[in-house]
Amino acid sequence: MHIVFFGDQHLNSLGGAQVSMRLQREFLERAGHTVTVVAPRMHGARAGDGDPAYLDLPSMPITLDREYSMSWPGRRIDRFLDRVLSRRPPVDLVHVQADFWGAFIGHRYAHRHGIPVVHTMHNRVDVGIAAVTPLHRPVLALLNAWRRRALREIADPVAGRDGWAYLRGLAAGAAAVTAPSTHFAHRLEQNGVFEPVDVVWNGIDDDVRAATLAAAPSERAPGRPRFVWLGRMSPEKRLLPFLEAFVASGVDAELEIIGGGAQRAAAEKIVAEHPSVRFSGRLTYPQTLARIAAADALVQTSIGFETQGMTPFEAATLGTPSVISDPDIAAELGGGLWAVPEASARSGPEREAQRSAALAETLRRAASDIAGGTAPTPLPEVATAFLQSSRTAAMIAVYVRVLSPLR
């Protein structure tokens, strides 16, 4: 098969969806398929690595660090895309793994050429937008209007102004919808986005995992705890509240922060007086997995935003337990973790205060367990279920099901 991925961001940029798509491409190619990745061209230092599988669309940078960019969906991009893809093998299937412009462009391309679409939902757009702006309701209304305009020729316009209406509109042109977790799949079905939604976890590279485990110590020695937090430094990831809770906890522990983003300066300011906290910036995928394997615990602090939350699964696959704030992710993992109790207050400063206090107490409990040699052990079945080889096999089964009526 020739499968064309559509993403909102270039796969060389920072983000869990990008990591997942890079792995999907690699393992699909190992299985003998051809993959083309359509995404906005990157700007800045890492732009243009010459990978022939990447089809970079004309774009504009949208963040100050030029990490992320966007391509405007419309006839100009349509013509550019048709021209470039006409020089490649015939396309069998479009796999949209985007939530904004990439989704519009991908669905428009598939509709023009009569190609079926599998759409992977990576994003709780309502929670993500609410985390970055108090004007999330009008922003969602504008997004829905943009979606109806961009996709008006594909399906009957889906009414509504909230995040679920937006996702229903994206799914209207899909032959299948997948989600990277059971809890997100259930939410999509409950809110009428699509049914049934196939659950296909994002995975970990089989080979890199094996090499990481081979290089890691066979046993974890009790002692001063080593925590690691990684991800994009933006409000929905809740890095700043985590660092405030870490300081308030008073734990005698090392903490490594991996990643980058707009909140780095604010984060460094919170822990300026704590020499045990270090910021490592952006690391390669193998380096990141090695740091997770070397840590005593990974900390995941976003709540309600992650559609899977790859990092706790990567940690579990490497034998590292996690401190987890999101109850859905804790339930999906099933064990090998310290779950942060949920706040009883529904909203406002009281809820945030309760969340901070609960996280600080959970960090103290985790540090005590680690120092005493009684840390929980991740479930071994997660390791098998999370390997990218098994995830690719599951996705190929979805592709075959979608294409079988056409053959």
Side-chain angles (χ1 to χ4, degrees), residues 291-316:
R291 300 297 177 84
I292 295 173
D296 294 303
L298 176 133
V299 184
Q300 184 272 331
T301 48
S302 61
I303 302 173
F305 170 73
E306 307 290 351
T307 54
Q308 177 184 3
M310 286 181 64
T311 56
F313 288 84
E314 289 169 334

PDB file of all heavy atoms in Angstrom, residues 291-316:
ATOM      1  N   ARG A 291      17.050   8.100  29.499  1.00  0.00           N
ATOM      2  CA  ARG A 291      16.843   8.868  30.740  1.00  0.00           C
ATOM      3  C   ARG A 291      15.637   8.333  31.520  1.00  0.00           C
ATOM      4  O   ARG A 291      15.650   8.300  32.753  1.00  0.00           O
ATOM      5  CB  ARG A 291      16.643  10.345  30.407  1.00  0.00           C
ATOM      6  CG  ARG A 291      17.814  11.003  29.693  1.00  0.00           C
ATOM      7  CD  ARG A 291      19.083  11.019  30.515  1.00  0.00           C
ATOM      8  NE  ARG A 291      20.187  11.595  29.778  1.00  0.00           N
ATOM      9  CZ  ARG A 291      20.473  12.883  29.667  1.00  0.00           C
ATOM     10  NH1 ARG A 291      19.696  13.766  30.277  1.00  0.00           N
ATOM     11  NH2 ARG A 291      21.504  13.301  28.970  1.00  0.00           N
ATOM     12  N   ILE A 292      14.588   7.927  30.798  1.00  0.00           N
ATOM     13  CA  ILE A 292      13.424   7.350  31.476  1.00  0.00           C
ATOM     14  C   ILE A 292      13.820   6.050  32.169  1.00  0.00           C
ATOM     15  O   ILE A 292      13.457   5.795  33.318  1.00  0.00           O
ATOM     16  CB  ILE A 292      12.277   7.104  30.479  1.00  0.00           C
ATOM     17  CG1 ILE A 292      11.746   8.431  29.910  1.00  0.00           C
ATOM     18  CG2 ILE A 292      11.141   6.336  31.151  1.00  0.00           C
ATOM     19  CD1 ILE A 292      10.724   8.256  28.810  1.00  0.00           C
ATOM     20  N   ALA A 293      14.580   5.211  31.459  1.00  0.00           N
ATOM     21  CA  ALA A 293      14.993   3.923  32.030  1.00  0.00           C
ATOM     22  C   ALA A 293      15.891   4.117  33.243  1.00  0.00           C
ATOM     23  O   ALA A 293      15.857   3.304  34.181  1.00  0.00           O
ATOM     24  CB  ALA A 293      15.708   3.089  30.969  1.00  0.00           C
ATOM     25  N   ALA A 294      16.698   5.179  33.254  1.00  0.00           N
ATOM     26  CA  ALA A 294      17.621   5.430  34.362  1.00  0.00           C
ATOM     27  C   ALA A 294      16.941   6.062  35.568  1.00  0.00           C
ATOM     28  O   ALA A 294      17.476   6.027  36.676  1.00  0.00           O
ATOM     29  CB  ALA A 294      18.763   6.326  33.894  1.00  0.00           C
ATOM     30  N   ALA A 295      15.758   6.648  35.358  1.00  0.00           N
ATOM     31  CA  ALA A 295      15.062   7.325  36.455  1.00  0.00           C
ATOM     32  C   ALA A 295      14.372   6.312  37.360  1.00  0.00           C
ATOM     33  O   ALA A 295      14.078   5.186  36.968  1.00  0.00           O
ATOM     34  CB  ALA A 295      14.039   8.301  35.887  1.00  0.00           C
ATOM     35  N   ASP A 296      14.099   6.736  38.581  1.00  0.00           N
ATOM     36  CA  ASP A 296      13.324   5.913  39.507  1.00  0.00           C
ATOM     37  C   ASP A 296      11.829   6.085  39.289  1.00  0.00           C
ATOM     38  O   ASP A 296      11.047   5.188  39.609  1.00  0.00           O
ATOM     39  CB  ASP A 296      13.666   6.280  40.952  1.00  0.00           C
ATOM     40  CG  ASP A 296      15.097   5.932  41.305  1.00  0.00           C
ATOM     41  OD1 ASP A 296      15.467   4.747  41.165  1.00  0.00           O
ATOM     42  OD2 ASP A 296      15.853   6.843  41.688  1.00  0.00           O
ATOM     43  N   ALA A 297      11.431   7.242  38.764  1.00  0.00           N
ATOM     44  CA  ALA A 297      10.010   7.481  38.496  1.00  0.00           C
ATOM     45  C   ALA A 297       9.864   8.582  37.458  1.00  0.00           C
ATOM     46  O   ALA A 297      10.618   9.559  37.466  1.00  0.00           O
ATOM     47  CB  ALA A 297       9.265   7.866  39.773  1.00  0.00           C
ATOM     48  N   LEU A 298       8.908   8.398  36.575  1.00  0.00           N
ATOM     49  CA  LEU A 298       8.507   9.448  35.643  1.00  0.00           C
ATOM     50  C   LEU A 298       7.312  10.176  36.238  1.00  0.00           C
ATOM     51  O   LEU A 298       6.475   9.556  36.914  1.00  0.00           O
ATOM     52  CB  LEU A 298       8.135   8.833  34.289  1.00  0.00           C
ATOM     53  CG  LEU A 298       7.596   9.813  33.245  1.00  0.00           C
ATOM     54  CD1 LEU A 298       8.278   9.596  31.903  1.00  0.00           C
ATOM     55  CD2 LEU A 298       6.083   9.686  33.084  1.00  0.00           C
ATOM     56  N   VAL A 299       7.225  11.476  35.998  1.00  0.00           N
ATOM     57  CA  VAL A 299       6.094  12.257  36.502  1.00  0.00           C
ATOM     58  C   VAL A 299       5.286  12.777  35.327  1.00  0.00           C
ATOM     59  O   VAL A 299       5.828  13.428  34.425  1.00  0.00           O
ATOM     60  CB  VAL A 299       6.567  13.429  37.387  1.00  0.00           C
ATOM     61  CG1 VAL A 299       5.367  14.167  37.968  1.00  0.00           C
ATOM     62  CG2 VAL A 299       7.480  12.938  38.504  1.00  0.00           C
ATOM     63  N   GLN A 300       3.999  12.472  35.314  1.00  0.00           N
ATOM     64  CA  GLN A 300       3.070  12.945  34.269  1.00  0.00           C
ATOM     65  C   GLN A 300       2.021  13.801  34.959  1.00  0.00           C
ATOM     66  O   GLN A 300       1.317  13.337  35.856  1.00  0.00           O
ATOM     67  CB  GLN A 300       2.434  11.756  33.555  1.00  0.00           C
ATOM     68  CG  GLN A 300       1.527  12.114  32.388  1.00  0.00           C
ATOM     69  CD  GLN A 300       0.091  12.371  32.824  1.00  0.00           C
ATOM     70  OE1 GLN A 300      -0.369  11.817  33.809  1.00  0.00           O
ATOM     71  NE2 GLN A 300      -0.592  13.226  32.093  1.00  0.00           N
ATOM     72  N   THR A 301       1.901  15.077  34.543  1.00  0.00           N
ATOM     73  CA  THR A 301       1.116  16.016  35.336  1.00  0.00           C
ATOM     74  C   THR A 301      -0.072  16.641  34.619  1.00  0.00           C
ATOM     75  O   THR A 301      -0.854  17.345  35.251  1.00  0.00           O
ATOM     76  CB  THR A 301       2.021  17.162  35.840  1.00  0.00           C
ATOM     77  OG1 THR A 301       2.798  17.676  34.762  1.00  0.00           O
ATOM     78  CG2 THR A 301       2.948  16.650  36.939  1.00  0.00           C
ATOM     79  N   SER A 302      -0.236  16.439  33.309  1.00  0.00           N
ATOM     80  CA  SER A 302      -1.415  17.007  32.649  1.00  0.00           C
ATOM     81  C   SER A 302      -2.663  16.267  33.128  1.00  0.00           C
ATOM     82  O   SER A 302      -2.597  15.112  33.546  1.00  0.00           O
ATOM     83  CB  SER A 302      -1.280  16.923  31.124  1.00  0.00           C
ATOM     84  OG  SER A 302      -1.167  15.586  30.716  1.00  0.00           O
ATOM     85  N   ILE A 303      -3.801  16.948  33.065  1.00  0.00           N
ATOM     86  CA  ILE A 303      -5.061  16.369  33.550  1.00  0.00           C
ATOM     87  C   ILE A 303      -6.145  16.624  32.508  1.00  0.00           C
ATOM     88  O   ILE A 303      -6.436  17.771  32.163  1.00  0.00           O
ATOM     89  CB  ILE A 303      -5.494  16.977  34.897  1.00  0.00           C
ATOM     90  CG1 ILE A 303      -4.403  16.771  35.956  1.00  0.00           C
ATOM     91  CG2 ILE A 303      -6.814  16.376  35.371  1.00  0.00           C
ATOM     92  CD1 ILE A 303      -4.682  17.486  37.273  1.00  0.00           C
ATOM     93  N   GLY A 304      -6.737  15.560  31.993  1.00  0.00           N
ATOM     94  CA  GLY A 304      -7.856  15.687  31.072  1.00  0.00           C
ATOM     95  C   GLY A 304      -7.486  16.035  29.656  1.00  0.00           C
ATOM     96  O   GLY A 304      -8.357  16.071  28.786  1.00  0.00           O
ATOM     97  N   PHE A 305      -6.213  16.292  29.391  1.00  0.00           N
ATOM     98  CA  PHE A 305      -5.792  16.722  28.053  1.00  0.00           C
ATOM     99  C   PHE A 305      -5.298  15.558  27.208  1.00  0.00           C
ATOM    100  O   PHE A 305      -5.611  15.468  26.021  1.00  0.00           O
ATOM    101  CB  PHE A 305      -4.689  17.774  28.168  1.00  0.00           C
ATOM    102  CG  PHE A 305      -4.022  18.100  26.857  1.00  0.00           C
ATOM    103  CD1 PHE A 305      -4.685  18.840  25.890  1.00  0.00           C
ATOM    104  CD2 PHE A 305      -2.744  17.648  26.572  1.00  0.00           C
ATOM    105  CE1 PHE A 305      -4.083  19.120  24.675  1.00  0.00           C
ATOM    106  CE2 PHE A 305      -2.126  17.921  25.365  1.00  0.00           C
ATOM    107  CZ  PHE A 305      -2.801  18.670  24.410  1.00  0.00           C
ATOM    108  N   GLU A 306      -4.505  14.664  27.808  1.00  0.00           N
ATOM    109  CA  GLU A 306      -3.849  13.617  27.028  1.00  0.00           C
ATOM    110  C   GLU A 306      -4.869  12.606  26.505  1.00  0.00           C
ATOM    111  O   GLU A 306      -5.704  12.099  27.252  1.00  0.00           O
ATOM    112  CB  GLU A 306      -2.817  12.882  27.892  1.00  0.00           C
ATOM    113  CG  GLU A 306      -1.812  13.770  28.577  1.00  0.00           C
ATOM    114  CD  GLU A 306      -0.826  14.416  27.619  1.00  0.00           C
ATOM    115  OE1 GLU A 306      -0.808  14.037  26.437  1.00  0.00           O
ATOM    116  OE2 GLU A 306      -0.089  15.303  28.072  1.00  0.00           O
ATOM    117  N   THR A 307      -4.765  12.303  25.216  1.00  0.00           N
ATOM    118  CA  THR A 307      -5.606  11.251  24.660  1.00  0.00           C
ATOM    119  C   THR A 307      -4.990   9.882  24.881  1.00  0.00           C
ATOM    120  O   THR A 307      -5.660   8.868  24.753  1.00  0.00           O
ATOM    121  CB  THR A 307      -5.837  11.491  23.159  1.00  0.00           C
ATOM    122  OG1 THR A 307      -4.566  11.629  22.507  1.00  0.00           O
ATOM    123  CG2 THR A 307      -6.641  12.763  22.946  1.00  0.00           C
ATOM    124  N   GLN A 308      -3.734   9.833  25.179  1.00  0.00           N
ATOM    125  CA  GLN A 308      -3.095   8.602  25.661  1.00  0.00           C
ATOM    126  C   GLN A 308      -2.129   8.937  26.781  1.00  0.00           C
ATOM    127  O   GLN A 308      -2.230   8.401  27.867  1.00  0.00           O
ATOM    128  CB  GLN A 308      -2.350   7.868  24.546  1.00  0.00           C
ATOM    129  CG  GLN A 308      -1.627   6.607  25.066  1.00  0.00           C
ATOM    130  CD  GLN A 308      -0.808   5.909  23.997  1.00  0.00           C
ATOM    131  OE1 GLN A 308      -0.710   6.360  22.875  1.00  0.00           O
ATOM    132  NE2 GLN A 308      -0.206   4.789  24.346  1.00  0.00           N
ATOM    133  N   GLY A 309      -1.206   9.851  26.508  1.00  0.00           N
ATOM    134  CA  GLY A 309      -0.133  10.114  27.446  1.00  0.00           C
ATOM    135  C   GLY A 309       0.958   9.094  27.228  1.00  0.00           C
ATOM    136  O   GLY A 309       1.049   8.089  27.934  1.00  0.00           O
ATOM    137  N   MET A 310       1.793   9.301  26.196  1.00  0.00           N
ATOM    138  CA  MET A 310       2.762   8.275  25.810  1.00  0.00           C
ATOM    139  C   MET A 310       3.820   8.025  26.866  1.00  0.00           C
ATOM    140  O   MET A 310       4.277   6.895  27.042  1.00  0.00           O
ATOM    141  CB  MET A 310       3.439   8.661  24.493  1.00  0.00           C
ATOM    142  CG  MET A 310       2.566   8.487  23.261  1.00  0.00           C
ATOM    143  SD  MET A 310       3.423   8.934  21.748  1.00  0.00           S
ATOM    144  CE  MET A 310       4.730   7.696  21.695  1.00  0.00           C
ATOM    145  N   THR A 311       4.236   9.071  27.572  1.00  0.00           N
ATOM    146  CA  THR A 311       5.402   8.922  28.438  1.00  0.00           C
ATOM    147  C   THR A 311       5.214   7.894  29.559  1.00  0.00           C
ATOM    148  O   THR A 311       6.140   7.125  29.836  1.00  0.00           O
ATOM    149  CB  THR A 311       5.834  10.278  29.016  1.00  0.00           C
ATOM    150  OG1 THR A 311       4.735  10.889  29.703  1.00  0.00           O
ATOM    151  CG2 THR A 311       6.310  11.207  27.906  1.00  0.00           C
ATOM    152  N   PRO A 312       4.065   7.800  30.238  1.00  0.00           N
ATOM    153  CA  PRO A 312       3.926   6.748  31.251  1.00  0.00           C
ATOM    154  C   PRO A 312       3.975   5.345  30.649  1.00  0.00           C
ATOM    155  O   PRO A 312       4.440   4.409  31.302  1.00  0.00           O
ATOM    156  CB  PRO A 312       2.564   7.038  31.891  1.00  0.00           C
ATOM    157  CG  PRO A 312       2.270   8.457  31.572  1.00  0.00           C
ATOM    158  CD  PRO A 312       2.897   8.705  30.252  1.00  0.00           C
ATOM    159  N   PHE A 313       3.485   5.194  29.409  1.00  0.00           N
ATOM    160  CA  PHE A 313       3.539   3.893  28.758  1.00  0.00           C
ATOM    161  C   PHE A 313       4.978   3.542  28.375  1.00  0.00           C
ATOM    162  O   PHE A 313       5.410   2.395  28.519  1.00  0.00           O
ATOM    163  CB  PHE A 313       2.635   3.881  27.528  1.00  0.00           C
ATOM    164  CG  PHE A 313       1.175   3.876  27.865  1.00  0.00           C
ATOM    165  CD1 PHE A 313       0.508   5.059  28.143  1.00  0.00           C
ATOM    166  CD2 PHE A 313       0.464   2.690  27.924  1.00  0.00           C
ATOM    167  CE1 PHE A 313      -0.836   5.067  28.459  1.00  0.00           C
ATOM    168  CE2 PHE A 313      -0.883   2.680  28.239  1.00  0.00           C
ATOM    169  CZ  PHE A 313      -1.544   3.869  28.519  1.00  0.00           C
ATOM    170  N   GLU A 314       5.705   4.535  27.872  1.00  0.00           N
ATOM    171  CA  GLU A 314       7.121   4.301  27.591  1.00  0.00           C
ATOM    172  C   GLU A 314       7.854   3.914  28.871  1.00  0.00           C
ATOM    173  O   GLU A 314       8.676   2.982  28.875  1.00  0.00           O
ATOM    174  CB  GLU A 314       7.736   5.561  26.980  1.00  0.00           C
ATOM    175  CG  GLU A 314       7.258   5.842  25.563  1.00  0.00           C
ATOM    176  CD  GLU A 314       7.646   7.218  25.060  1.00  0.00           C
ATOM    177  OE1 GLU A 314       7.835   8.138  25.889  1.00  0.00           O
ATOM    178  OE2 GLU A 314       7.746   7.391  23.833  1.00  0.00           O
ATOM    179  N   ALA A 315       7.545   4.629  29.951  1.00  0.00           N
ATOM    180  CA  ALA A 315       8.196   4.326  31.229  1.00  0.00           C
ATOM    181  C   ALA A 315       7.868   2.907  31.689  1.00  0.00           C
ATOM    182  O   ALA A 315       8.751   2.145  32.097  1.00  0.00           O
ATOM    183  CB  ALA A 315       7.766   5.344  32.282  1.00  0.00           C
ATOM    184  N   ALA A 316       6.587   2.537  31.618  1.00  0.00           N
ATOM    185  CA  ALA A 316       6.186   1.202  32.055  1.00  0.00           C
ATOM    186  C   ALA A 316       6.867   0.128  31.229  1.00  0.00           C
ATOM    187  O   ALA A 316       7.289  -0.913  31.756  1.00  0.00           O
ATOM    188  CB  ALA A 316       4.669   1.063  31.956  1.00  0.00           C
TER     189      ALA A 316
END
